[in-house]
């Protein structure tokens, strides 16, 4: 009863927002704008109103963190380890280059634009892996601010809208095969809904292949989350090891080893468990489909909660640099994916 009293009001608001967002997304042809984006934007617009009611805060916090983790775990039911093999050596080869481009370029341009490393990393993750899902998963591992999450998702989404329109046109212009186009779309377009929209706009076969590539690309969330967890913990340790003494001198404390048990995102293990269950075939297809829908709905709820907690005025203070950063990294990924495919004869 105590839980219901503290959390139910806020959770109910996020459920209502998620239902409305799913409905609005369904009105858009080809799912061009995902429900999660609607939930995030509407949530931010409602923030000035909901911020006045403290009773909603606990429910928003619970949804944006715990429900988000549950959504990520359940997302594993849509994947199987065999999909990595099915897409073949070409897609894995291209993905290596796009991931290096996303995170390497993201780091360099983040330094150039003097951006917060967490925001820069989230934008790179959204661009290099899978849009909002990757942003959400890594944000949990590095304790990112809600405003950083909202900005990272917005930055990658705007580019995706442009790519959904241009990709089919460019694919036909270059005379790409269904296989080549599906590989390009699956490795270069960010969000899953945008991959589906761009892939099937070319052909059904290309759409099927692009989705398989995209789902395989999603598996890279696991090692990337671990890397970011380690980096975050190291930075925290450094801050603890060096402090300023009362006389203004810098005091160095004894270095401590990073506690892997502490930084390991245990919910990712459960995510891998779901992937394993899906892989060995004991999960009926109908149940897997239902779990996938629940996962997506929970993700929409979580993004809505993040939006409801995000002050738009505070977000706008981040400036133009993060958005430009996202555009540059996304454009580089598209170009690199195309050039690598051309080099291996897949264009």
């Amino acid at each position: 009863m105590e839980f219901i009293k503290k959390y139910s009001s806020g959770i109910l608001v996020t459920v209502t927002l998620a239902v409305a967002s799913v409905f609005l997304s369904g009105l858009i042809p080809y799912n061009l704008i995902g429900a999660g984006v609607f939930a995030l934007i509407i949530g931010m617009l409602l923030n000035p109103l909901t911020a006045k009611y403290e009773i909603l805060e606990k429910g928003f916090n619970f949804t944006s963190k715990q429900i988000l983790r549950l959504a990520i775990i359940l997302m594993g039911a849509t994947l199987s380890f065999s999909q990595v093999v099915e897409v073949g050596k070409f897609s894995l080869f291209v993905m290596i280059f796009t991931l290096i481009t996303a995170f390497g370029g993201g780091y360099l341009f983040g330094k150039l634009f003097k951006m917060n490393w967490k925001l820069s990393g989230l934008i790179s993750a959204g661009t290099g892996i899978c849009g909002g899902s990757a942003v959400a998963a890594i944000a949990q591992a590095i304790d990112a601010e809600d405003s950083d999450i909202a900005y990272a998702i917005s930055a990658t989404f705007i580019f995706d809208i442009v790519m959904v329109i241009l990709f089919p046109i460019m694919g036909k212009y270059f005379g790409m095969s269904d296989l080549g186009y599906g590989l390009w779309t699956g490795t270069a377009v960010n969000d899953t809904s945008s991959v589906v929209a761009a892939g099937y706009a070319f052909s059904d076969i290309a759409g099927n292949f692009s989705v398989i590539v995209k789902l395989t690309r999603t598996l890279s969330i696991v090692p990337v989350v671990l890397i970011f967890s380690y980096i975050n913990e190291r930075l925290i340790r450094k801050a603890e090891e060096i402090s300023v003494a009362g006389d203004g001198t810098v005091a160095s404390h004894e270095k401590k080893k990073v506690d892997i048990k502490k930084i390991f995102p245990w919910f990712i293990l459960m995510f891998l468990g779901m992937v394993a269950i899906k892989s060995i075939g004991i999960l009926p297809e109908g149940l897997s489909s239902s779990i996938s829908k629940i996962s997506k709905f929970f993700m929409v709820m979580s993004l809505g909660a993040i939006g409801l907690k995000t002050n738009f005025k505070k977000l706008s203070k981040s400036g133009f640099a993060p958005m430009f950063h996202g555009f540059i990294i996304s454009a580089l990924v598209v170009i690199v994916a195309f050039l690598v495919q051309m080099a291996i004869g897949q264009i």
Side-chain angles (χ1 to χ4, degrees):
M1 290 300 294
E2 188 67 21
F3 177 87
I4 294 176
K5 183 179 179 181
K6 288 183 177 180
Y7 298 92
S8 60
S9 298
I11 294 175
L12 183 59
V13 171
T14 63
V15 170
T16 304
L17 177 55
V19 171
S21 299
V22 170
F23 173 76
L24 291 173
S25 177
L27 298 177
I28 307 297
Y30 305 110
N31 292 317
L32 188 62
I33 303 178
V37 176
F38 272 116
L40 181 67
I41 294 174
I42 296 173
M44 287 192 290
L45 293 175
L46 292 176
N47 171 265
L49 175 62
T50 58
K52 298 177 181 178
Y53 302 95
E54 292 185 9
I55 193 173
L56 301 175
E57 185 177 351
K58 289 186 179 295
F60 291 166
N61 289 333
F62 180 82
T63 303
S64 66
K65 297 182 183 299
Q66 305 306 322
I67 297 296
L68 177 58
R69 291 186 178 185
L70 180 58
I72 294 169
I73 293 168
L74 295 178
M75 187 173 65
T78 66
L79 299 169
S80 67
F81 294 120
S82 63
Q83 288 173 330
V84 179
V85 178
E86 290 175 5
V87 295
K89 59 182 179 181
F90 294 123
S91 61
L92 294 174
F93 184 72
V94 175
M95 275 186 257
I96 291 173
F97 284 91
T98 55
L99 287 172
I100 291 174
T101 299
F103 288 102
Y107 175 79
L108 293 175
F109 282 102
K111 285 284 188 181
L112 179 64
F113 297 152
K114 298 179 180 179
M115 288 170 54
N116 169 8
W117 77 271
K118 292 185 179 182
L119 175 56
S120 174
L122 290 178
I123 293 175
S124 295
T127 302
I129 304 176
C130 59
S133 298
V135 171
I138 292 173
Q140 289 287 306
I142 63 176
D143 299 319
E145 295 289 336
D146 289 334
S147 58
D148 287 345
I149 298 173
Y151 214 121
I153 293 175
S154 299
T156 55
F157 165 72
I158 291 174
F159 188 86
D160 265 0
I161 292 297
V162 177
M163 288 299 98
V164 166
I165 298 171
L166 293 182
F167 254 59
I169 298 173
M170 291 189 292
K172 293 184 184 299
Y173 175 80
F174 291 119
M176 300 177 75
S177 65
D178 289 329
L179 178 64
Y181 179 81
L183 178 57
W184 188 37
T185 304
T187 52
V189 179
N190 306 326
D191 191 72
T192 301
S193 61
S194 300
V195 169
V196 171
Y200 286 101
F202 188 84
S203 74
D204 287 346
I205 297 175
N208 290 336
F209 192 79
S210 65
V211 170
I212 293 175
V213 174
K214 181 65 178 65
L215 291 177
T216 303
R217 180 176 156 200
T218 302
L219 289 175
S220 62
I221 284 179
V222 178
V224 171
V225 165
L226 290 175
I227 292 170
F228 271 83
S229 296
Y230 183 83
I231 292 173
N232 188 54
E233 180 68 7
R234 285 297 302 168
L235 292 175
I236 291 174
R237 290 292 185 183
K238 284 185 179 180
E240 292 176 349
E241 290 165 4
I242 300 177
S243 62
V244 179
D247 59 357
T249 59
V250 176
S252 179
H253 300 278
E254 183 182 353
K255 291 186 176 181
K256 301 177 183 179
K257 293 183 178 180
V258 174
D259 187 352
I260 299 297
K261 292 182 179 179
K262 179 180 177 182
I263 69 171
F264 191 87
W266 295 104
F267 68 96
I268 290 296
L269 271 187
M270 289 182 274
F271 166 82
L272 287 174
M274 290 297 293
V275 176
I277 292 172
K278 172 69 173 176
S279 299
I280 60 180
I282 64 174
L283 196 65
E285 194 60 37
L287 180 57
S288 175
S289 178
S290 297
I291 293 175
S292 175
K293 291 178 181 178
I294 294 172
S295 172
K296 290 176 181 177
F297 187 78
F298 282 169
M299 187 70 74
V300 175
M301 282 178 59
S302 303
L303 293 175
I306 289 171
L308 289 163
K309 292 169 56 183
T310 302
N311 186 303
F312 188 76
K313 290 184 179 179
K314 182 180 178 181
L315 179 64
S316 64
K317 292 180 181 179
S318 295
F320 176 71
M323 198 66 69
F324 188 49
H325 174 280
F327 180 85
I328 292 175
I329 302 306
S330 295
L332 286 175
V333 167
V334 169
I335 295 170
V336 167
F338 186 87
L339 293 177
V340 173
Q341 285 184 234
M342 181 180 290
I344 62 177
Q346 288 296 309
I347 295 296

